[in-house]
Amino acid sequence: MARSTVSNASLFQRAQLVAPGGVNSPVRAFRSVGGTPYFVARGSGSRVWDVEGREYLDYVQSYGASIVGHAHPAVVAAVQEAAADGSTFGAPTEREVLLAEELSARVPGADMVRLVSSGTEATMSAVRLARGATGRDRVVVFDGCYHGHSDGLLAGGGSGVATLGIPASAGVPSAAVSSTLVLPYNQVPALTEEVACVIVEPIAANMGLVPPGPGFLEGLRAECDRVGALLVFDEVITGFRVARGGAAQVFGVEPDLWCFGKVIGGGLPLAAFAGRRDLMEQLAPLGPIYQAGTLSGNPLATAAGLAVLSLLDDAAYAALAATAGRLAAGIAGACRGAGLEVQVPVAGPLLGIFFAPSPVGDYEASKASAATGLYPAFMHGLLERGVAVAPGAYEVLFPSLAHTDADLERTVAAVGDVAKALVATR
Ligand SMILES: *Cc1c(COP(=O)(O)O)cnc(C)c1O
């Protein structure tokens, strides 16, 4: 059979005929940066290759679902071995126990774990659990945080003020967000006894990277305790990434419930929510709060997750943080050297890029950075130089364990070139 020659453009054209926007998750369609997405043929370590054979140093890394680099031999072997034994049964398996034990051991306070298949399911289920356990309806979220695409959490807010949720998407009934209160990030609100839970990204990583200000998480903990509300950390990005015990460990603030995803599936569809025993025991079959999943605890996904976690020891976290620190300093230096105003916050292995004159602490400031309109040219400039960052101004960079010093040097050099070009054409 003759090998068909495909190009990014031809595939994108075909894709748009059979898939809305040509993609299965909107950001991949490049709508906010323009141009044609690259279709990935394969990845290895810090790199991906598109269907035209072009190589990119990859900082997308599946938006964080890949932390050890693409196609790590230990992960590939674990998945192959698991697949040969059958990929789903609808009966419990040993690896589900091993993974829950591993997650619980790394996160003090996460006594029990329920595995699901996406971060969206994890947050949706954690909120249901919080409502069921407290007998209250109201949920507090923060503007600029992302908690997946369930109706109740797709609420938009006003500009930097506290508002009752308005649907952030067509198709979300106003009733679904009428109990969702949207507040500005990094300001501790005064809660009332109507609140079932406060759900927060303890380090916000879906409006660029916005670390919590001093006292923010501690203040949320105290307010929740004062009114009997539950504190839910959405650690779908930060969990098992910023430290062994995630952001809860870094900041020394323990929530009642956690949501995990991305890292723990080792690149396969797997997520989890976890928490105190007395809360988790209110889930079916022990308690009245229903939650279920045909593919939950999937054998391939748990095998991949266990393989990745076995690689994430203290040395790995130190290496990841060192990589991000070097990269951030290099990017900031290269941009400023070219006369481009930039902020490059770092949190463990995560870094963000804002075109802003001072540190960004909330969604308003993040939106102002995006409104400079610099990001699309920045991103495309890097892509032309073989460096892939996400096609959206609100995404963060995900350097992996596979990124080498040589990779970082190449990246910083490319950033310097792009920054000069941006300043020259302004
Ligand atoms: C990615 C993400 C989610 C949603 O996870 P999916 O697996 O995409 O459904 C939820 N919360 C946070 C903080 C995320 O970054």
Side-chain angles (χ1 to χ4, degrees), residues 369-410:
S369 163
T372 62
L374 290 168
Y375 191 80
F378 180 78
M379 177 264 168
H380 275 294
L382 288 180
L383 203 61
E384 282 159 23
R385 289 163 179 81
V387 176
V389 297
Y394 295 108
E395 312 297 341
V396 298
L397 274 70
F398 292 99
S400 76
L401 269 181
H403 286 73
T404 64
D405 283 347
D407 290 341
L408 304 186
E409 277 165 33
R410 235 187 79 196

Side-chain angles (χ1 to χ4, degrees), residues 117-121 123 146-149 201 206 234 236-237 262:
S117 299
S118 71
T120 295
E121 271 183 273
T123 53
Y146 178 64
H147 303 297
H149 59 91
E201 286 184 76
N206 284 286
D234 181 350
V236 169
I237 282 186
K262 299 192 169 113

Side-chain angles (χ1 to χ4, degrees), residues 171-401:
V172 172
S174 43
V177 290
S178 63
S179 297
T180 309
L181 195 61
V182 185
L183 305 179
Y185 195 78
N186 264 333
Q187 294 177 33
V188 179
L191 300 178
T192 67
E193 291 187 355
E194 294 170 284
V195 175
C197 69
V198 172
I199 181 167
V200 64
E201 286 184 76
I203 299 167
N206 284 286
M207 50 170 149
L209 188 70
V210 180
F216 179 54
L217 299 176
E218 293 84 349
L220 293 181
R221 180 68 276 176
E223 268 300 292
C224 284
D225 289 343
R226 189 178 66 78
V227 299
L230 300 180
L231 180 60
V232 184
F233 276 3
D234 181 350
E235 295 221 44
V236 169
I237 282 186
T238 55
F240 310 94
R241 180 187 310 281
V242 296
R244 266 179 86 89
Q249 177 192 323
V250 171
F251 296 103
V253 175
E254 197 174 298
D256 300 288
L257 294 170
W258 283 260
C259 304
F260 300 120
K262 299 192 169 113
V263 167
I264 63 167
L268 275 84
L270 192 148
F273 60 105
R276 287 202 333 256
R277 186 173 306 278
D278 65 294
L279 289 172
M280 295 298 287
E281 285 185 343
Q282 298 185 45
L283 282 175
L286 297 179
I289 302 164
Y290 189 69
Q291 191 282 331
T294 301
L295 294 174
S296 292
N298 177 263
L300 272 56
T302 49
L306 282 165
V308 163
L309 288 176
S310 76
L311 297 167
L312 293 177
D313 54 14
D314 291 341
Y317 287 112
L320 282 164
T323 295
R326 271 199 295 275
L327 185 58
I331 290 174
C335 287
R336 288 180 190 138
L340 189 62
E341 218 164 42
V342 75
Q343 303 293 323
V344 191
V346 190
L350 295 168
L351 61 142
I353 297 178
F354 293 111
F355 299 108
S358 54
V360 168
D362 62 17
Y363 193 36
E364 288 305 298
S366 173
K367 281 192 288 194
S369 163
T372 62
L374 290 168
Y375 191 80
F378 180 78
M379 177 264 168
H380 275 294
L382 288 180
L383 203 61
E384 282 159 23
R385 289 163 179 81
V387 176
V389 297
Y394 295 108
E395 312 297 341
V396 298
L397 274 70
F398 292 99
S400 76
L401 269 181

Side-chain angles (χ1 to χ4, degrees), residues 124 127 131 137-141 149-156 164-182:
M124 177 182 85
V127 166
R131 284 173 162 159
D137 286 347
R138 185 155 292 186
V139 172
V140 169
V141 302
H149 59 91
S150 68
D151 279 359
L153 294 171
L154 265 188
L164 270 180
I166 42 175
S169 160
V172 172
S174 43
V177 290
S178 63
S179 297
T180 309
L181 195 61
V182 185

Side-chain angles (χ1 to χ4, degrees), residues 25-45:
S25 200
V27 69
R28 298 178 198 167
F30 274 41
R31 296 295 284 249
S32 77
V33 293
T36 302
Y38 54 95
F39 280 67
V40 174
R42 67 188 182 91
S44 177

Side-chain angles (χ1 to χ4, degrees), residues 69-86:
H70 299 295
H72 189 288
V75 179
V76 173
V79 173
Q80 282 175 336
E81 201 186 307
D85 286 337

